[in-house]
Amino acid sequence: MYNSKITGLGYYVPDNVVTNDDLSKIMDTNDQWIQERTGIQERRHIVQGEDTTTSMGVKAAKIAIERSGLTTDDIDFVVFATLSPDYYFPGPGVLVQKELGLRTVGALDVRNQCSGFLYALSVADQFIKTGMYKNVLIIGSEIHSRGLDMTTRGRNVSVIFGDGAGAAVLSRTEDNTKGVLSTHLHSEGEHAEELALVTPGMGTRWVTDIINANDPEDISYFPHMNGQYVFKHAVVRFSEVINEGLQANRLTVADIDMLVPHQANLRISQFIQQKFKLTDDQVFNNIQKYGNTTAASIPIALTEAWEQGKIKEGDTVVLAAFGSGFTWASAVIKW
């Protein structure tokens, strides 16, 4: 019986820092308004022509592979999580295979938005545990800045999201006391349109249909979020899926050395921290610097926590996410 463990982590964010004060110059908002509602102080936006979803993922992946002590020849499979692929098709997984010069390995694209990285981790974990693959590259990468309504009309959403990428190498181990202990995945499509890019009453349309309409009042190609509704569901599902992971491994809240939640909103993370009575040293947040980077948020935060020495060998690490779909997930890892 094989187990899987994270052997390498890496992340990449664009150099272009966009502060709350920067946003206040192009929309009716201010630093206090944004921080009170989200905890965000700044985020990164790409410079068009310099970064793509794939290129950011590749940069993060190179760091993760180097830190794993492996080479690209050792990678058996790629799982790429994103809601912002370079093309409608093909997905970015195959582009990573090309850019990294990997062997003709399989490449899978995951479209589970904020839960995307944990869904990807779960898929990779199962492939390794069944003996099919030995080393799987997992990437979460997002470009939000090119698809946001950067006006006062869209401020409730546009101030939240940022661009970036994170990656992990998951490798086979025969030590069943270390690595990914369990993953837990859920969905509830009943609430799909509460956080979505949707065109009401029109069915499925290609984005070219919308652009060609050339209607400046048509905002259907911008994301919609029912913020309060999402918040209420998030705090419930976060709690449930964290407890599910702990119970599956006969652990308690006291066993958590580090909780890395999806960086959706600092207020959600703080609510969960207070509910579980965790200390500041037991929860890692970096949404203040990067905003919500969706599928990239957990691998970016996990990498930073590890780089800062806040995750050590033998620690019990819990990852948890909630987002569009609704989907939610958790993973329990013995480092």
Side-chain angles (χ1 to χ4, degrees):
M1 180 72 179
Y2 297 119
N3 205 12
S4 67
K5 66 176 182 179
I6 294 175
T7 55
L9 289 166
Y11 79 95
Y12 169 82
V13 291
D15 293 331
N16 181 32
V17 177
V18 179
T19 67
N20 293 342
D21 288 336
D22 292 332
L23 294 181
S24 70
K25 297 173 183 176
I26 59 174
M27 63 181 72
D28 183 12
T29 191
N30 58 69
D31 179 67
Q32 181 180 355
W33 188 90
I34 296 172
Q35 288 207 52
E36 285 180 351
R37 288 159 178 78
T38 69
I40 299 168
Q41 300 171 18
E42 60 187 41
R43 72 287 295 145
R44 305 297 178 97
H45 286 178
I46 66 160
V47 175
Q48 191 172 16
E50 292 184 7
D51 283 310
T52 66
T53 298
T54 296
S55 72
M56 292 195 302
V58 166
K59 290 172 183 176
K62 286 180 177 178
I63 297 170
I65 292 171
E66 180 180 358
R67 287 174 169 174
S68 73
L70 303 174
T71 70
T72 53
D73 289 338
D74 297 311
I75 301 300
D76 303 316
F77 196 68
V78 177
V79 189
F80 199 122
T82 189
L83 63 72
S84 51
D86 299 1
Y87 312 130
Y88 276 100
F89 63 87
V94 298
L95 304 179
V96 166
Q97 182 274 332
K98 170 195 171 186
E99 295 300 323
L100 287 178
L102 304 180
R103 295 174 292 111
T104 54
V105 300
L108 175 68
D109 299 293
V110 172
R111 294 293 301 275
N112 285 87
Q113 292 67 248
C114 300
S115 303
F117 185 80
L118 290 188
Y119 269 71
L121 177 70
S122 183
V123 169
D125 177 51
Q126 301 308 313
F127 271 131
I128 290 175
K129 284 178 175 173
T130 59
M132 186 167 184
Y133 298 123
K134 189 174 180 181
N135 300 297
V136 180
L137 173 63
I138 314 165
I139 298 171
S141 181
E142 303 286 9
I143 291 178
H144 286 294
S145 59
R146 300 298 300 169
L148 297 172
D149 184 358
M150 302 299 288
T151 69
T152 300
R153 178 182 60 190
R155 65 180 177 179
N156 289 341
V157 174
S158 57
V159 301
I160 296 172
F161 293 95
D163 304 339
V169 175
L170 204 62
S171 299
R172 181 190 299 173
T173 177
E174 295 183 4
D175 183 356
N176 290 319
T177 67
K178 296 287 182 67
V180 179
L181 303 183
S182 65
T183 57
H184 309 271
L185 312 177
H186 297 278
S187 71
E188 192 173 21
E190 174 186 352
H191 308 296
E193 294 187 3
E194 302 298 339
L195 176 50
L197 195 162
V198 62
T199 309
M202 292 298 292
T204 301
R205 291 199 294 174
W206 290 98
V207 76
T208 47
D209 295 330
I210 301 169
I211 295 173
N212 289 341
N214 197 28
D215 179 359
E217 298 304 316
D218 182 4
I219 61 171
S220 61
Y221 49 88
F222 292 126
H224 160 78
M225 179 173 66
N226 184 343
Q228 290 186 341
Y229 193 85
V230 172
F231 186 99
K232 291 177 181 178
H233 280 260
V235 294
V236 172
R237 297 307 191 184
F238 259 112
S239 300
E240 289 178 350
V241 81
I242 291 170
N243 279 323
E244 181 182 2
L246 294 174
Q247 292 167 10
N249 295 283
R250 299 180 180 179
L251 300 171
T252 68
V253 173
D255 295 309
I256 298 176
D257 295 299
M258 180 58 68
L259 169 64
V260 181
H262 163 55
Q263 304 294 294
N265 185 310
L266 186 60
R267 308 307 165 217
I268 294 176
S269 296
Q270 290 172 334
F271 185 96
I272 297 302
Q273 178 178 343
Q274 292 170 4
K275 183 172 183 177
F276 282 89
K277 298 180 180 178
L278 299 171
T279 68
D280 290 344
D281 291 334
Q282 290 175 285
V283 182
F284 189 84
N285 291 299
N286 62 2
I287 191 172
Q288 302 93 322
K289 297 189 297 181
Y290 304 125
N292 181 345
T293 55
T294 311
S297 81
I298 285 181
I300 291 174
L302 184 62
T303 303
E304 281 204 331
W306 173 78
E307 287 177 346
Q308 294 173 21
K310 296 184 178 181
I311 296 177
K312 302 174 291 296
E313 185 173 355
D315 281 355
T316 297
V317 179
V318 177
L319 313 178
F322 174 90
S324 174
F326 288 148
T327 64
W328 60 100
S330 68
V332 181
I333 302 170
K334 179 62 74 171
W335 210 258

